[in-house]
Amino acid sequence: MDLDTSLILHFLDLEDPKKQAEFLQAHCKELTDKFLVSAAVSLDYVETGEDLESRCQDLIRYLNTKGKYESGRR
């Protein structure tokens, strides 16, 4: 299994948006286009950034917002 696949599977195993955001922050420098597309699709998130860094940061903001508003629903 390659690193990309391993990272994707680990990310998908995390169900809490805050934990997903922490994972992205910890691995942002090593994430690829394939990973970010897979993560965005799994979250029904539409990417708008152009470079990997901005796409990663946008996804982190999305997850933090999602976590903030969904934390009271559980």
Side-chain angles (χ1 to χ4, degrees):
M1 181 177 339
D2 66 355
L3 179 61
D4 237 8
T5 304
S6 177
L7 288 172
I8 291 167
L9 292 175
H10 187 100
F11 177 81
L12 293 175
D13 282 342
L14 301 170
E15 294 183 15
D16 179 35
K18 289 182 182 181
K19 291 196 183 301
Q20 290 174 326
E22 290 169 3
F23 177 87
L24 291 176
Q25 287 173 326
H27 298 281
C28 201
K29 298 291 184 207
E30 57 193 292
L31 300 181
T32 63
D33 178 68
K34 178 182 173 183
F35 175 92
L36 291 172
V37 168
S38 297
V41 167
S42 76
L43 297 166
D44 292 326
Y45 173 74
V46 178
E47 291 187 280
T48 57
E50 297 197 14
D51 61 273
L52 293 177
E53 180 69 27
S54 67
R55 288 167 58 198
C56 184
Q57 293 306 315
D58 289 346
L59 197 50
I60 290 169
R61 274 191 293 282
Y62 171 78
L63 287 166
N64 285 331
T65 302
K66 183 178 178 181
K68 178 179 174 182
Y69 291 103
E70 288 187 357
S71 64
R73 295 183 186 177
R74 293 179 186 179

